[in-house]
Amino acid sequence: MKYLIIAALVSIVFVLVYTRVRPYLKLIQKIVQSLNVVTDINTSTAVQPKVPSRNKLVRCEGCGTWIPAERALSLNSGLATYCSPECFNRR
Ligand SMILES: [Zn+2]
C-alpha cells in the first residue's frame, strides 16, 4: 500500500512538473524551429545566391562599358546589350 501511495505521488508530481514545463518546452521547440528556418535561409542563399537581375552587370557591345542590366538596351533576347542608343547605332 505504501508503494502505491508513493507511485501515485510520483505520478502527480510528474504530471505537475510536466504541465509546468510544457510551455517552456514548446517555446524552446519554437525557438529551435525558427533557428532552423534562419539557418535554412542562410544555407539556401549561400548555396544558390539569387542575385536580382537588375543588379547584374552587362557589357556594352559597342563601347565595352559594364552597366546594370536594367539600364541596358538589349537585343536579340539579351544576347547583345548596349549602354545607349549611340552604341546601338554604332554597332
Ligand atoms: Zn556603350
Side-chain angles (χ1 to χ4, degrees):
M1 195 61 197
K2 207 168 119 188
Y3 295 108
L4 238 157
I5 292 162
I6 289 165
L9 278 172
V10 166
S11 59
I12 286 164
V13 166
F14 179 79
V15 167
L16 280 173
V17 167
Y18 182 72
T19 48
R20 283 284 174 95
V21 167
R22 204 165 65 156
Y24 295 106
L25 287 176
K26 278 195 171 180
L27 195 76
I28 289 164
Q29 218 169 35
K30 268 191 180 179
I31 290 165
V32 167
Q33 272 175 356
S34 62
L35 283 174
N36 278 343
V37 168
V38 168
T39 49
D40 277 356
I41 290 164
N42 284 342
T43 49
S44 62
T45 49
V47 169
Q48 38 165 233
K50 275 195 172 179
V51 179
S53 56
R54 59 182 175 165
N55 287 343
K56 209 177 89 183
L57 285 175
V58 289
R59 197 163 175 271
C60 173
E61 296 286 317
C63 63
T65 311
W66 288 94
I67 46 161
E70 64 176 343
R71 281 202 285 151
L73 302 170
S74 67
L75 293 165
N76 304 328
S77 64
L79 285 172
T81 48
Y82 299 92
C83 67
S84 62
E86 286 80 40
C87 285
F88 171 69
N89 291 329
R90 249 196 291 158
R91 79 203 140 104

